[in-house]
Amino acid sequence: MLAIIVDKEQKKKDIALGTKALILKDGINNITISQIAKAANIGKGTVYEYFKNKDEIVFELVEILMQEHNKRKEKQLSLHVSTREKVKSFFSFFYADEDQELREIYKQFTAIALSSTNEEMVAFQTECYTLYEKWMENIIEEGIEKNELKSEAKELVMGIFAFAQGTFIMSVTTSAIEDLKQKIDTQIDILFDLMEK
């Protein structure tokens, strides 16, 4: 009899994706490993073969959804001509309907990351931040090369990114922002009025 060869990385992804609806519905803190196993159609012990705890499932799910998001984002950015529109599109993650599931999972991931010293999560967050900062830097540099923006605009990359992320966090933790898209777009328009040649 031949042994069944299991692709462990794929199995890990399958388990995380199998629990996505449950995590979105109830939140990771409100579900049990038994519920996770049932949602993923596996035994409870199998969950522990792939994940140390529930937090790691959220982490895996965020990684999967971020990869899908990045592919969509690349296509979306290619549709825009002006740097201003590319920057607005870049930050549509914080309010666009197609990213709603990722945002919900990301909120749970952020809560875990803020209260944990898990080195893998810190490394992942750092990797994501570095990727997105570099992506934004490339958009701004392209705008400078196209003579749309002043050369000093490249010094604002971190500030633009921090503003958008901070506005998003404020929108989910307070009731101070009613229309996140409008808030981000208005701020980007004001900033670009100052940065454009």
Side-chain angles (χ1 to χ4, degrees), residues 14-190:
D14 291 343
I15 293 168
L17 288 169
T19 64
K20 181 172 76 168
L22 179 65
I23 292 170
L24 286 168
K25 180 179 166 269
D26 296 330
I28 195 69
N29 292 328
N30 300 317
I31 58 177
T32 65
I33 293 294
S34 294
Q35 289 172 304
I36 289 168
K38 185 177 178 183
N41 293 317
I42 57 173
K44 188 176 173 182
T46 305
V47 174
Y48 288 111
E49 286 179 35
Y50 291 89
F51 301 99
K52 292 179 199 164
N53 53 46
K54 297 184 302 183
D55 295 350
E56 286 191 0
I57 296 170
V58 172
F59 179 40
E60 180 71 19
L61 200 47
V62 164
E63 284 189 282
I64 293 166
L65 296 176
M66 289 293 268
Q67 289 172 2
E68 293 171 4
H69 163 77
N70 291 345
K71 289 175 188 171
R72 280 194 316 275
K73 180 66 71 191
E74 219 169 289
K75 287 179 185 173
Q76 187 181 22
L77 289 172
S78 70
L79 301 174
H80 299 287
V81 177
S82 78
T83 304
R84 183 185 297 234
E85 291 307 312
K86 283 185 180 185
V87 170
K88 286 181 181 181
S89 178
F90 186 84
F91 290 119
S92 67
F93 158 75
F94 295 124
Y95 54 78
D97 289 341
E98 66 264 18
D99 290 316
Q100 186 172 357
E101 286 184 346
L102 173 55
R103 275 195 308 278
E104 290 303 315
I105 299 290
Y106 187 74
K107 282 190 255 180
Q108 293 183 54
F109 172 78
T110 301
I112 293 165
L114 288 172
S115 62
S116 170
T117 55
N118 182 317
E119 290 180 26
E120 283 183 61
M121 285 188 181
V122 171
F124 176 73
Q125 284 282 71
T126 302
E127 185 181 315
C128 284
Y129 173 77
T130 303
L131 171 71
Y132 292 127
E133 182 183 41
K134 186 65 179 165
W135 208 343
M136 177 58 60
E137 191 176 287
N138 290 340
I139 291 169
I140 297 297
E141 285 177 357
E142 182 183 301
I144 293 168
E145 288 170 15
K146 289 174 20 183
N147 212 26
E148 291 179 28
L149 302 175
K150 298 174 184 174
S151 61
E152 295 84 9
K154 64 184 170 193
E155 300 302 324
L156 296 175
V157 169
M158 189 172 119
I160 295 168
F161 193 77
F163 148 74
Q165 184 149 17
T167 304
F168 167 69
I169 290 170
M170 190 183 306
S171 77
V172 297
T173 59
T174 72
S175 58
I177 298 175
E178 291 180 31
D179 185 344
L180 184 60
K181 178 185 184 323
Q182 186 268 330
K183 186 71 160 178
I184 288 175
D185 284 355
T186 298
Q187 295 295 316
I188 289 171
D189 282 335
I190 291 168

